[in-house]
Every structure is written in C-alpha cells, then in structure tokens.
C-alpha cells in the first residue's frame, strides 16, 4: 500500500503537538493508555537517508554511484571464532560486499526444529559484516547449490510422502518453504539496509535456469519474500550468462533484478549486454554475481588450480568499465561434518562427491593464509577501483605440528551392533532408505540372513547410494566366531557384485551391509538423491527379504549432544579388543595429544597418510571425511578454536585399513598430493 510522504519538518511539528497534548491530558487528570496512543519518535537523519537502489543501469548507495566489489564467504564453513579474522582478510583484499548463502538444512535439521546458534548464528554473522562496514548480498534459497549437501535442502524433505517435487510450484513443497521463510525473514528484516543493517539485496533461488522452467514457482517465491521484506529491498536472481538459462531462470516482473555468472576468461561485456534484455530498462547494472577465483574438487581428482594473473586480468576487464563482480569464493573454508555436496555426470551413477576441504583455490586459503600469488594479484587490481580504505593486511595464522598421535582400537563394528539401542533398529520386509529410517547423514547398517551354499553365494545391489561394505558372520551362540568377515565393497559408480564366502555357520548366516552416505547431489537433474539401499537386494538372483536397519548416529555439524555416540563408545576400552589391524572391519579408534598452555594452541592438520577411509572427530567436533587412498586430500584442517590446554581427544571411524603402526600425525601444513597418478585435473 502506498504511503503519503510528509516533509520532515512537518513530521517533527506533528510529533511536538502530540507530545504537548499528551502532557496536557495528564495534567488535568485524564488517564491515557500509552500503548494505544500513536506517538512515535522521528528517525535518525542518517536512517532516513539510507537507501540502496538501481537507476540508470547503476547501483546507488545513499544517492551516490556504487560499484560492488564483493566476495562469497560462508559462515557455515568457518568456525564463529574465525569469522572476524576471515572478514578482515576480505577487507584487506579491498572488498566492500560479502555475499553469503543461507543453507536451510543447517538451520532446520529436523522438521520445525530450528538452529540459529553456534556456526548457525546467521544474525551475529550479518551484524559482524555490518560492524566491519561490509554490505551483504544474502542468498536465501530455498535452494542454494554451493557444493553443499542436497543444495541446502533438508534431507528430511526426501522422506515426505506423497513425494515432494522440489524446486517447483508443488503446493506441499511451497508450504514447507513458506514455513521456513516465516522463521528466516523476520530475522533478516531488521538487518536490511533501509532499516540500518548491511543487507542490500536478497537472492531468490539459485541458477534456476540450469534446472527448470516453472515461472509460477519463481513468482511464488518473490511474493513470499516481498510479504516479509517489503518492496524496497532488491530481490535478485543468478543464472548462467546464456539466453536459454536467463529465459528459464529470470522472473518476468519489473522488480526482480537478474544477474549473471560465467566462466572466468569469457568476454564479460557481450554477456552483460545480454543481461540487459532480461531486466527492466535502466535496471541492469553489469554484475557477475559469481566471478570464479577457482573451482571445486571431487575425490579422485587432482586439486583444482587457476592461474593468479589470468584470474586478476579477467576481473579487471569487468571493474575497469564500472562493472561489478563478486568473487566466488573469496574464502572457501571447510565442509565440516557430513555436509559436503556431490555432482553427477551423464547419469545418477556417475557420482562425484566433494572433498572435505572447500579451499576452492580462493585468494584466502582454507586456513586463512593470504601470502599467495592469487591474493596479491587480485589485490593489485582491486586497489585501482576500490574507494574504500584498506586495513593493514593481517599476517598468516601460525600453525603447529603436534607430532605423532598413538591410536587404539576401541570398538569394532561388530561391537557397535551388539551394543545397539533397540530404539535405533527398524525392521522391514525390504531395505529402507536412510531418510525413511530417520538416519539423515553418515552410516546405516543393514542386517539380514541367508542359507550359505558350500560353493559360496553372489550378492548384487542394483542401486546403492553411495558405498556399501559387505560382511558375513555367524551370530548363533553355538559357533565361537567373533567379529564380521569382510566380503567386498560395491559402489554407486561401479555397482560390482560381491562374492560371499563359504561359512561354517550351523544355522543361517548373518549378512551385514554398511552403507555410507558420501554427500547428496547438490546440482543438476539428479538432485532428488536419497541415500542407502534403494532397490531390492539379490542373492544368487533371488530377492532377499527380512531386514533390520541399524542406525549409527554419529553427530553432524549443527548437533551438540551432551555425550556423542562416537565419544561414548571410544571410552569402552576393555581387554577383549584385539587390535587386529589386518582385519578389514570398520572400527572406532581413539587417541589423545596434549597442549601445555593456551599460548601453544595453534591451527594444525591431521595427516591421514597410511590410513584408509573414514570420518574424524576432534574434541567431539566432526572435522569431516578423509580418504587418502583416493586423494587428493591427505590431511584435514583443525582450526585452533577446537583445541584446548591439556588433553585433546581424537576419535576416528576407520572403514577400511588402519595404518599398521596405528599412528596419526598432527602436522603444520596442508597436503593435496594423495591418490592415484591417474587422477583427472579439475581446472576451470
């Protein structure tokens, strides 16, 4: 609804008259209910003048031309204790704007259970950006991509029945989006630029033109956002710089600004001219909302690298003609926990999970280091066009090698099964997906039984997401066999049958299949990426019936239990454990290392050279997955705020082959040299 605009002097006079009338009424003894009296105070003059808008194909901030020189930096990939440090480094680069995604799954890990504390404290992050004089471009989703599990969607959406149609105008899906935004946007509204905060623009969806063509869906999202955020905030979309993606991904209304992204090195100006065709006249300032400083890396590839001078010269082509750009990424950070995403190739079986490190070859490295050619080259270019004063360049963080850590096997997978709480076991005729079983991340153990043949049996799982290790055992009391016998591994990308060995069980042989969720697809047509066993299981060509699903509840990034599963079981050390490291059975290993004083606490890296595959926890914090045999990442980053004076605990869930000497090494540098020499180079 349009509001009449009163001159500020008239408004002040009216407030004064109202105030004197209020005093007069009190003086004559008339009681006035204060809350119902329309008395308000004039806003600060600086607040009245705050406005960020688009006019004449230019950004305007408080009546002055403004060139966005920004960078993506994700609060959920950096410990809160390091948010200010990383933002100051972005400031030293010369940036004036931070662009940031909001991952729905981090904030609503269970239906209607909202988390906005710790690493999910979005409001504190935005206020910190404001304190450091950054503007903010907020990418609210609900889909964000971002190499983040399921593109930011909560995994429990996959268990809703009837099945939701994500990223469409499906009413059931939109109702859940609205419920989420009813929580998110009231937190954002006070932080809009016109309200005194840093948020100048809010993005709707993300690269939708690369996925669908549902204009009703996009219009619904715009309407939802406007109801909460008002008409003054700039809503924007981001799409690839082609006619097809822009035609599908833009919203055909005048009040949504369409931005573009494209490959670094492409001539930007023809793409910016194309961008104009999808914006209202005068509302198309040239903006590359994702200017790629590097690229992502999957397990099994060589670490992505882009040339520093090439990247800097490509940026200058935009800035030198008053174009705007947002570096993706200025600082990548880390995929802590189980939140890494994945991609697919020609079909859903061509599965490519992302590394734990999200370094992205960004100018601010995963550890915060800026002493590198890319930072220096980009800084030289940005200084030519940035009017903002540059702070003193922070020095690199000191790191420390704490040395070898002796590990001890504490709990085998067999023992985890025997100690399982019955509440964590589900029975079904057929295998259930992880989501249907209520196990959203990590691992789910499937148990069944069969009659073993003397000649052996062949097991086949047509559809497993993502990696299944197969074991057999005699669990009856009349056979003195302890542990599980490894039979083989089948993976989503190779779907190999597994030959089961002959056994000496006097009754049915127990079959165990440990399935690992390695990260949900975050981009493309196969985003509906359920995990676990998603088909029937065939034994010698016949369907195997009768299953138990046993949850293995390792905690994720946004969960802070009093005593987590992995720490609880790492303390169950008894003489019965045999430390048979030659046995290829998953197991928990625990160790400790000491730090004498607070002054000795530094960032470090855990080197997993010699180990197989698994996930690691430092002082009960999930620092992510390791897989040195696949590479290229050999070490996991451990930020100093996770450490403490005295004893520090390390627990790992090793899936395959522990290092024969049972040692882990805390080193002072990253290492991306692991894996096969045949690894593909992932380069932009």
């Amino acid at each position: 609804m349009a509001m009449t605009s009163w001159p500020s002097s008239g408004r002040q006079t009216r407030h004064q008259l109202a105030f004197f009338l209020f005093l007069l009424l009190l003086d004559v003894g008339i009681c006035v209910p204060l809350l119902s009296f329309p008395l308000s105070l004039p806003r600060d003059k600086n607040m009245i003048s705050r406005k960020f808008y688009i006019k004449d194909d230019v950004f305007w901030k408080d009546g002055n031309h403004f060139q966005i020189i920004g960078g993506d930096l994700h609060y959920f990939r950096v410990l809160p204790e390091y948010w200010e440090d990383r933002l100051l480094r972005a400031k030293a680069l010369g940036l004036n704007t931070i662009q940031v995604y909001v991952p729905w799954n981090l904030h609503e890990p269970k239906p209607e259970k909202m988390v906005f504390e710790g690493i999910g404290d979005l409001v504190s992050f935005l206020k910190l950006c404001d304190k450091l004089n950054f503007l903010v471009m907020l990418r609210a989703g609900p889909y964000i991509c971002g190499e983040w599990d399921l593109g930011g969607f909560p995994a429990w959406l996959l268990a809703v029945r009837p099945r939701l149609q994500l990223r469409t105008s499906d009413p059931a899906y939109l109702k859940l989006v609205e419920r989420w935004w009813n929580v998110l946007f009231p937190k954002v509204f006070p932080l809009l630029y016109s309200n005194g905060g840093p948020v100048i623009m809010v993005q709707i969806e993300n690269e939708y033109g690369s996925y669908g063509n549902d204009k009703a869906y996009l219009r619904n999202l715009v309407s939802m956002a406007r109801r909460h955020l008002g008409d003054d905030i700039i809503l924007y979309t981001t799409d690839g710089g082609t006619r097809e993606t822009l035609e599908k991904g833009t919203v055909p209304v005048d009040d949504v600004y369409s931005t573009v992204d494209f490959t670094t090195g492409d001539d930007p100006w023809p793409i910016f001219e194309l961008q104009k065709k999808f914006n209202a006249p005068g509302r198309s300032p040239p903006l590359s909302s994702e200017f790629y400083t590097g690229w992502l890396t999957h397990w099994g590839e060589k670490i992505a690298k882009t040339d520093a001078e090439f990247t800097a010269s490509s940026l200058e082509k935009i800035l030198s003609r008053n174009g705007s750009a947002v570096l993706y990424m200025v600082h990548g950070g880390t995929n802590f926990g189980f939140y890494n995403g994945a991609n697919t190739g020609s079909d859903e079986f061509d599965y490519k999970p992302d590394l734990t490190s999200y370094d992205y070859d960004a100018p601010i490295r995963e550890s915060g280091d800026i002493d590198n050619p890319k930072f220096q080259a980009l800084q030289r270019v940005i200084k030519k066009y940035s009017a903002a004063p540059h702070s003193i360049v922070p020095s690199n963080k000191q790191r420390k090698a704490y040395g070898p850590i002796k590990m001890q096997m504490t709990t085998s997978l067999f023992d985890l099964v025997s100690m399982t709480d019955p509440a964590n076991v589900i029975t079904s005729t057929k295998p259930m997906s992880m989501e249907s079983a209520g196990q959203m991340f990590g691992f789910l153990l499937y148990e069944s039984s069969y009659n073993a043949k003397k000649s052996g049996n062949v097991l086949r799982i047509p559809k497993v997401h993502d990696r299944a290790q197969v074991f057999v055992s005699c669990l009856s009391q009349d056979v003195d066999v302890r542990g599980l016998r490894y039979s083989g591994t089948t993976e989503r990308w190779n779907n190999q049958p597994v030959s089961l060995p002959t056994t000496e069980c006097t009754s049915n042989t127990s079959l165990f299949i440990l399935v690992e969720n390695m990260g949900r697809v975050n981009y493309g047509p196969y985003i509906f990426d359920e995990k676990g066993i998603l088909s029937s299981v065939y034994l010698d060509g016949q369907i195997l019936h009768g299953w138990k699903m046993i949850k293995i509840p390792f905690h994720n990034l946004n969960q802070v239990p009093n005593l987590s599963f992995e720490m609880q079981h790492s303390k169950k050390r008894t003489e019965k454990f045999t430390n048979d490291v030659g046995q290829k059975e998953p197991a928990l290993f625990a160790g400790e290392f000491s730090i004498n004083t607070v002054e000795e606490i530094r960032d470090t890296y855990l080197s997993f050279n010699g180990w197989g595959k698994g996930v690691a926890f430092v002082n009960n914090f999930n620092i992510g997955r390791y897989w040195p045999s696949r590479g290229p990442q050999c070490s996991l980053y451990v930020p100093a705020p996770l450490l403490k004076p005295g004893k520090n605990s390390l627990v790992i869930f090793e899936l395959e082959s522990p290092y024969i000497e049972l040692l882990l090494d805390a080193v002072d540098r990253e290492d991306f040299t692991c894996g096969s020499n045949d690894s593909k180079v992932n380069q932009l």
Side-chain angles (χ1 to χ4, degrees), residues 50 71 78 88 145 153 200 216 231 249 267 296 438 447 459 463 485 517 539 581 587 592 647-648 650:
R50 285 175 66 94
V78 182
L88 285 172
C145 185
F153 285 128
I200 55 170
D231 294 332
D267 185 352
L296 61 105
E447 179 185 354
L459 183 81
K463 192 172 185 179
R485 183 176 175 184
N517 164 3
L539 188 72
V581 297
E592 293 177 340
K647 291 183 178 180
N648 291 265
L650 170 61

Side-chain angles (χ1 to χ4, degrees), residues 70-74 97-101 135-139 203 236 238 289-290 326-328:
D72 266 81
L73 194 159
H74 301 156
T97 304
I98 295 297
Q99 184 172 245
V100 59
Y101 285 126
L135 300 178
V136 172
M137 297 167 61
L138 192 73
R139 315 180 83 175
Q203 183 176 308
Y236 71 108
T238 293
S289 54
E290 289 189 7
V326 181
L327 308 182
Y328 194 98

Side-chain angles (χ1 to χ4, degrees), residues 37 64-65 114 126 130 171 187 291 321 328 360 395 416 420 423 438 446 538 568 588 609 632 647 654 665 675 678:
F37 196 83
N64 299 310
H65 287 198
M114 297 296 174
L126 296 178
D130 191 38
K187 295 178 182 292
F291 175 88
R321 293 175 58 181
Y328 194 98
Y360 216 87
S395 60
L416 290 179
T420 297
Y446 294 80
Y538 293 86
Q568 177 183 351
L588 284 165
N609 275 301
K647 291 183 178 180
E654 168 60 48
D665 213 10
D678 299 330

